[in-house]
Amino acid sequence: MVMKPGGTLKSRRGSAGDEEEAYIVGFPVTPRKDYCWSSWLLKAVVVLVMLMAGVFIGLSANVNVSRYYYYSSIGSSSPLLSSSSSLQAGSSGNNNGDVVAASTASRSCRNNNTKKKRIQQKVTAAVLLDFRGFVDPGPTWGHSMSDPELFWRASMAPRVEEYPFQRVPKVAFLFLTRGPLPFAPLWERFFHGHEGLYSVYVHALPGYAGRYRPSSPFHGRQIPSGEVSWGSITLVDAEKRLLANALLDWSNQRFVLVSESCVPVFNFRTVYEYLVNSAMSYVESYNIDVPQCAGRYNPQMAPEVLEEHWRKGSEWFEMSRDLAVDVVADQRYYALFRRHCTPSCYPDEHYIPTFLHLRHGARNANRTVTWVDWSRGGPHPARFGKAATTADLMAAIRSNGTLCLYNGKPTTVCYLFARKFAPSALPMLLNFSNTLLDF
């Protein structure tokens, strides 16, 4: 049929039969079978596009879910992530309020997106390992690690000899105390003017909080501690805890264990040069056939520790960094002493001397740098109060006529510290610090 200008249709049949051909004036109409084929092609393209869009949306949702569970898993141990979660919860809650104007909603949405971007940046900064944060141990009270976690972290030792940052060797002073430090004023005078060359760590009984001026080297230096009882393995635990916390600072090169009754007998510069330049560590170690030494050996420690390996020594040690790492990392010998060195064995007098004799005998001077007087006998050394603390006593400790070896050469400077002093001796020692001790 044919459409005339008037709008009517006219049908025309061909001579071949009933086949009908439709056309508009001057423009033939597309055959019906061609139109049908194009329609199916269009539908196929639409379906393909929808499938691709669905795959893309599914992948995006999977990434978001994975990111959510990843940050949720670390959020419980990070204060930063916890605060981030609360911010996200708060911003989500604000969107559930009453209906507001469209412009206000738009601004709120932009603000929320900005907050989320900032949160993601903070999270990324917290998760990524920052070299400065790895080198800087932070405050001594700034971690919540258990002893196994702390010992594992502190036992890490780089195998590259050269440090990739400027490092000044420091001496770590490890104060093992029950509570107050009566000689803190003397030590403060000893440390004064030498900041950056020393570190201080204090292990006190749990619950005790020492109070010091903000300018004091003892301020904020108390480490997370544990219960300690005299003559038990808990003393070794406290020593290892002090060493481990000090090892977190890569600049600490030498480690000195002192007590609340211990005082320096030379000025800081002499002590620093003596220790930092020494090729040896100073842990007293010996074995004599008496009940208080060889008589404490337990045969159940064999074959790891034989009777000829057994050693005794003063608890108050000084050692280098690599030896300190080995002491903290040791589990094999520590477990033996924990099981077989009962309180009458006094593990604090035997564990470290025996361990170092087995592992680093050639690097230990087998002597202590802390003077003490055992001449009066008994389970405890002599204690010096105000009356007994004289200039002659301090001079005799500094140079008592004996010789010892320092880097293979004889010297009369054998003791850098002394104990035991009573708190009443503080005024006398402060007087000597300006003259005899030369602080």
Side-chain angles (χ1 to χ4, degrees):
M1 71 187 108
V2 179
M3 179 178 289
K4 293 184 178 181
T8 61
L9 293 175
K10 179 179 180 182
S11 176
R12 187 185 69 175
R13 298 184 182 274
S15 59
D18 297 334
E19 185 178 1
E20 179 180 301
E21 182 179 313
Y23 61 94
I24 305 175
V25 178
F27 301 96
V29 179
T30 302
R32 187 167 298 177
K33 60 181 181 179
D34 293 339
Y35 172 79
C36 182
W37 179 85
S38 300
S39 175
W40 282 107
L41 177 62
L42 179 61
K43 290 180 180 180
V45 171
V46 171
V47 170
L48 181 62
V49 171
M50 292 178 64
L51 286 175
M52 293 180 64
V55 172
F56 178 80
I57 294 173
L59 290 175
S60 300
N62 184 52
V63 170
N64 291 333
V65 170
S66 300
R67 185 181 302 143
Y68 169 79
Y69 281 109
Y70 172 73
Y71 289 129
S72 297
S73 64
I74 62 175
S76 59
S77 61
S78 175
L80 175 59
L81 301 185
S82 299
S83 62
S84 301
S85 300
S86 63
L87 285 174
Q88 288 179 329
S91 63
S92 176
N94 291 336
N95 294 331
N96 296 327
D98 297 333
V99 177
V100 294
S103 59
T104 304
S106 177
R107 287 196 300 269
S108 177
C109 183
R110 288 195 299 269
N111 292 337
N112 290 339
N113 291 335
T114 303
K115 288 181 180 180
K116 290 179 180 179
K117 289 181 180 179
R118 291 175 180 174
I119 290 170
Q120 290 177 352
Q121 292 174 354
K122 291 180 180 180
V123 168
T124 302
V127 173
L128 293 178
L129 181 62
D130 183 78
F131 182 75
R132 291 174 298 178
F134 181 77
V135 173
D136 183 8
T140 56
W141 42 262
H143 70 78
S144 59
M145 290 183 283
S146 63
D147 282 352
E149 294 170 341
L150 174 64
F151 297 161
W152 180 85
R153 171 64 180 83
S155 62
M156 295 181 180
R159 300 183 64 180
V160 178
E161 294 184 0
E162 296 183 1
Y163 288 85
F165 58 93
Q166 186 176 3
R167 175 180 177 271
V168 177
K170 295 193 295 186
V171 177
F173 290 83
L174 318 177
F175 287 83
L176 181 56
T177 175
R178 297 177 182 87
L181 292 171
F183 295 106
L186 181 69
W187 283 102
E188 289 171 353
R189 188 173 294 184
F190 170 79
F191 289 128
H192 181 70
H194 303 286
E195 290 73 15
L197 299 179
Y198 67 88
S199 300
V200 172
Y201 302 86
V202 180
H203 186 292
L205 293 178
Y208 175 80
R211 296 182 179 180
Y212 305 98
R213 300 188 312 272
S215 59
S216 171
F218 296 99
H219 178 73
R221 303 307 299 175
Q222 190 168 324
I223 68 171
S225 62
E227 293 291 343
V228 176
S229 58
W230 182 73
S232 73
I233 196 69
T234 57
L235 274 171
V236 176
D237 295 336
E239 294 169 4
K240 295 182 72 170
R241 210 172 285 127
L242 281 164
L243 283 171
N245 277 275
L247 284 169
L248 298 180
D249 187 342
W250 296 93
S251 295
N252 287 331
Q253 185 65 30
R254 308 291 298 202
F255 303 80
V256 185
L257 182 68
V258 293
S259 71
E260 69 268 27
S261 65
C262 186
V263 300
V265 296
F266 285 95
N267 60 29
F268 180 87
R269 179 55 62 179
T270 300
V271 171
Y272 179 85
E273 296 291 342
Y274 193 101
L275 298 180
V276 170
N277 295 323
S278 177
M280 307 292 287
S281 293
Y282 300 95
V283 180
E284 189 177 44
S285 179
Y286 60 87
N287 187 13
I288 54 179
D289 191 12
V290 296
Q292 295 81 12
C293 183
R296 296 176 180 173
Y297 172 73
N298 189 339
Q300 294 183 0
M301 292 185 174
E304 287 84 358
V305 178
L306 301 176
E307 189 172 4
E308 57 265 28
H309 300 151
W310 187 251
R311 291 295 184 273
K312 180 183 178 180
S314 170
E315 177 185 0
W316 313 104
F317 59 74
E318 192 285 330
M319 65 180 66
S320 62
R321 183 178 182 89
D322 49 351
L323 267 63
V325 169
D326 272 7
V327 170
V328 169
D330 172 58
Q331 293 179 322
R332 177 185 178 186
Y333 296 101
Y334 171 82
L336 284 174
F337 276 82
R338 189 175 189 88
R339 288 197 302 266
H340 303 302
C341 191
T342 58
S344 59
C345 167
Y346 301 103
D348 57 297
E349 296 180 358
H350 293 278
Y351 167 67
I352 291 182
T354 302
F355 174 76
L356 292 184
H357 172 72
L358 287 167
R359 297 291 301 272
H360 301 286
R363 302 178 61 186
N364 183 27
N366 296 325
R367 66 179 178 91
T368 179
V369 290
T370 300
W371 180 90
V372 67
D373 182 11
W374 287 99
S375 62
R376 302 179 187 180
H380 301 286
R383 193 166 186 247
F384 299 91
K386 181 178 180 179
T389 305
T390 63
D392 291 339
L393 173 66
M394 303 307 295
I397 295 173
R398 288 163 57 94
S399 180
N400 59 8
T402 60
L403 290 177
C404 58
L405 292 179
Y406 177 78
N407 287 343
K409 297 180 180 179
T411 178
T412 58
V413 181
C414 301
Y415 299 107
L416 306 177
F417 313 99
R419 59 185 300 270
K420 280 181 142 183
F421 288 88
S424 60
L426 177 62
M428 300 299 295
L429 291 169
L430 288 174
N431 290 336
F432 297 148
S433 67
N434 292 326
T435 55
L436 180 64
L437 303 181
D438 191 28
F439 285 6

